[in-house]
Amino acid sequence: QLQLVESGGGLVQPGGSLRLSCVASGFTLDSYAIGWFRQAPGKAREGVSIISRTTSTTYYADSVKGRFTISRDNAKNTMYLQMNSLKPEDTAVYYCAADSETFATMMPIPYEHYHWGQGTQVTVSS
């Protein structure tokens, strides 16, 4: 059974850091482009960061550039999102996703055909 499971969310003060993890099972992540998305209350899901299948290309939304870093550890079948200098506007449910085809990269658009995790809550508040 193909599955993505996120962890690492929580409550953090502004300026703090969190590291999100996403473990894949039922398939190997190294064959797919992967990414992180988020959805704040009352807002549409948006692409935060994407890393290509070969790790040669990354994408970051303007709102997180310089603060967030995406990475993957194919040996552990795991992807990460290091989030630094967190702001209250980063508060959202964060989802990991993997493309359903072995394209080089994926779009930062929450297509239904992507494989999705269940989400982890990140709350930035003092």
Side-chain angles (χ1 to χ4, degrees):
Q1 181 180 358
L2 193 150
Q3 195 173 16
L4 293 169
V5 179
E6 302 99 334
S7 62
L11 173 64
V12 63
Q13 292 186 342
S17 297
L18 283 175
R19 187 195 195 201
L20 304 183
S21 300
C22 176
V23 179
S25 59
F27 71 112
T28 53
L29 279 180
D30 63 2
S31 296
Y32 301 94
I34 54 179
W36 289 93
F37 294 73
R38 67 185 180 186
Q39 188 166 17
K43 294 188 177 181
R45 192 173 298 189
E46 62 174 355
V48 174
S49 184
I50 305 294
I51 188 167
S52 63
R53 177 166 50 86
T54 61
T55 319
S56 61
T57 304
T58 55
Y59 160 87
Y60 293 96
D62 287 344
S63 58
V64 307
K65 279 182 182 176
R67 300 189 297 122
F68 290 12
T69 303
I70 190 171
S71 61
R72 61 196 302 166
D73 185 336
N74 291 332
K76 295 183 178 180
N77 219 26
T78 302
M79 56 193 287
Y80 304 97
L81 186 67
Q82 178 66 43
M83 306 186 295
N84 299 329
S85 302
L86 283 161
K87 304 175 181 181
E89 50 263 44
D90 294 318
T91 295
V93 177
Y94 283 72
Y95 300 88
C96 62
D99 203 344
S100 56
E101 302 289 343
T102 57
F103 297 128
T105 191
M106 62 193 287
M107 298 297 292
I109 299 171
Y111 290 122
E112 290 188 3
H113 67 266
Y114 290 163
H115 303 302
W116 293 95
Q118 84 289 349
T120 185
Q121 177 70 47
V122 172
T123 303
V124 185
S125 175
S126 55

